[in-house]
Amino acid sequence: MNLDITLVWAGIIGFGVIMYVLMDGFDLGLGILYPFAPDETSRDVMMNSVAPVWDGNETWLVLGGAGLLGAFPLAYSVFLPALYIGVFLMLAGLIFRGISFEFRFKSRKNRHWWNRAFCWGSVVATFAQGAVVGAYIQGFPVEDKIFVGGAFDWLTPFTVITGLGLMAGYALLGATWLILKSEGHTQDWAYAITPRLLWAVLGVFAIISLWTPLVSVDVRERWLSHIHLIWVFPILAMVCAAALYRAVKQREEGRPFIMALGLFIFTYLGMIASKWPVIVPPDYTVWDAASAPESQVFLLIGTVFVIPVVLAYTTWTYWVFRGKVKADDGYH
């Protein structure tokens, strides 16, 4: 049996992307919810719940970016000029947010400024990520494998909606994570806001679903020609949404977060099924964008050692910091 190394790399990058979305999504979501927390004690709990894991979560972003550069250089050479400003905003937001983790614990007089840095860093990073996803759905103007569009083509009414949609989605992940990790009035607040965030996510989900066929001809044709297969994913996403709502009403602590993860996973799989095997829409497939097989094999040798280490480190970290979090038991 001949192994298609390009498919292996597509799987690795797809896995890295969804791992980043799931693992960094809930801590970015807490930053989005930060200004609405009932008091400063709840903000301490929110930050303490992610302080030990947030930087490890972003490892998956590095893996996805580095893998894209090495395995699919055509995609990287198109995405970088097309999304340069969006990517810059995302990185700037992540940097501001990362700094706030360290300084907020030490600062008393200026703590409110670090609260703002945590919030706005999370908002900017999340919106930029959502807008980049929207730009990917729209497609890129490419001639002779070179991006020929403008610097702000990624920012359109459609990508604004996808950016706001991801903000609502990450906030939902953050709220369900807070249900799992907190107790008392902080947990009560998380229970109260989760259904409203879920309705917001479903509302934006409906708008994007109706809008996408209008901005992407290839997605419209795919949806209509493979309706039996592709529509399995949104149906499963809706099942997760219903289970999430029921779990919150029954005040279960773990299932809301698991169902929120499922909602993201099936939405992500639905987007991949709508685009596959195109990696630079509308024209270039993963095989068109792939580097030489020798290069992909060389990179794969290192990656097969890195991924188990990252998974082991991540699992160990979550195990060590498992359980409920209190305002005064941060690791600093």
Side-chain angles (χ1 to χ4, degrees):
M1 182 179 68
N2 294 325
L3 179 65
D4 190 334
I5 197 70
T6 298
L7 286 181
V8 173
W9 265 108
I12 291 173
I13 292 177
F15 177 71
V17 170
I18 189 59
M19 286 298 289
Y20 170 75
V21 168
L22 297 179
M23 304 196 71
D24 209 27
F26 67 81
D27 59 54
L28 284 166
L30 288 182
I32 295 169
L33 295 173
Y34 221 53
F36 309 103
D39 51 37
E40 198 66 9
T41 299
S42 295
R43 294 188 185 93
D44 289 339
V45 172
M46 293 166 74
M47 185 163 278
N48 285 341
S49 73
V50 295
V53 298
W54 72 272
D55 45 357
N57 294 342
E58 293 181 356
T59 303
W60 297 102
L61 181 64
V62 177
L63 175 67
L68 190 69
L69 173 62
F72 301 103
L74 173 61
Y76 197 88
S77 67
V78 172
F79 291 164
L80 191 60
L83 305 171
Y84 180 78
I85 296 176
V87 172
F88 170 78
L89 290 174
M90 180 189 73
L91 295 177
L94 292 177
I95 290 171
F96 266 94
R97 180 171 159 277
I99 295 172
S100 70
F101 271 103
E102 307 300 330
F103 282 82
R104 182 184 179 276
F105 284 106
K106 301 297 182 184
S107 176
R108 297 295 175 188
K109 183 178 179 181
N110 296 313
R111 173 169 285 193
H112 60 288
W113 287 110
W114 298 115
N115 286 345
R116 290 183 175 90
F118 183 59
C119 171
W120 283 107
S122 302
V123 167
V124 171
T126 303
F127 178 82
Q129 289 177 19
V132 166
V133 172
Y136 172 73
I137 295 173
Q138 285 182 160
F140 304 94
V142 179
E143 294 180 2
D144 297 328
K145 299 184 178 181
I146 297 174
F147 175 69
V148 294
F152 288 95
D153 285 2
W154 62 278
L155 190 61
T156 66
F158 179 73
T159 63
V160 169
I161 290 297
T162 57
L164 295 176
L166 194 63
M167 288 175 58
Y170 279 1
L172 177 65
L173 277 175
T176 54
W177 169 261
L178 196 58
I179 289 174
L180 178 65
K181 299 294 288 185
S182 66
E183 54 192 359
H185 74 287
T186 303
Q187 188 186 53
D188 292 338
W189 174 72
Y191 272 122
I193 63 171
T194 297
R196 282 176 273 174
L197 291 169
L198 178 60
W199 285 116
V201 169
L202 295 179
V204 177
F205 185 84
I207 293 172
I208 294 174
S209 297
L210 293 172
W211 202 337
T212 296
L214 301 178
V215 302
S216 177
V217 175
D218 57 324
V219 169
R220 181 172 67 238
E221 293 176 349
R222 182 71 60 88
W223 283 6
L224 295 177
S225 61
H226 296 78
I227 189 168
H228 298 298
L229 174 62
I230 290 179
W231 285 86
V232 167
F233 298 115
I235 290 172
L236 291 174
M238 291 304 100
V239 170
C240 289
L244 194 164
Y245 185 83
R246 178 182 174 84
V248 170
K249 291 302 179 184
Q250 294 178 342
R251 291 186 69 86
E252 296 183 38
E253 294 189 337
R255 189 175 297 179
F257 183 61
I258 294 172
M259 290 300 105
L261 296 178
L263 180 60
F264 265 81
I265 290 171
F266 289 120
T267 303
Y268 178 70
L269 291 176
M271 188 183 73
I272 290 178
S274 300
K275 286 290 189 181
W276 178 258
V278 174
I279 191 171
V280 182
D283 297 322
Y284 295 100
T285 68
V286 291
W287 294 281
D288 297 327
S291 58
E294 295 79 8
S295 300
Q296 291 188 333
V297 171
F298 178 76
L299 291 169
L300 187 61
I301 293 172
T303 305
V304 295
F305 289 101
V306 169
I307 290 181
V309 171
V310 175
L311 286 172
Y313 158 80
T314 302
T315 303
W316 181 74
T317 303
Y318 278 84
W319 173 255
V320 169
F321 293 98
R322 67 190 183 278
K324 297 291 185 182
V325 174
K326 299 184 184 300
D328 56 354
D329 64 355
Y331 78 106
H332 284 74

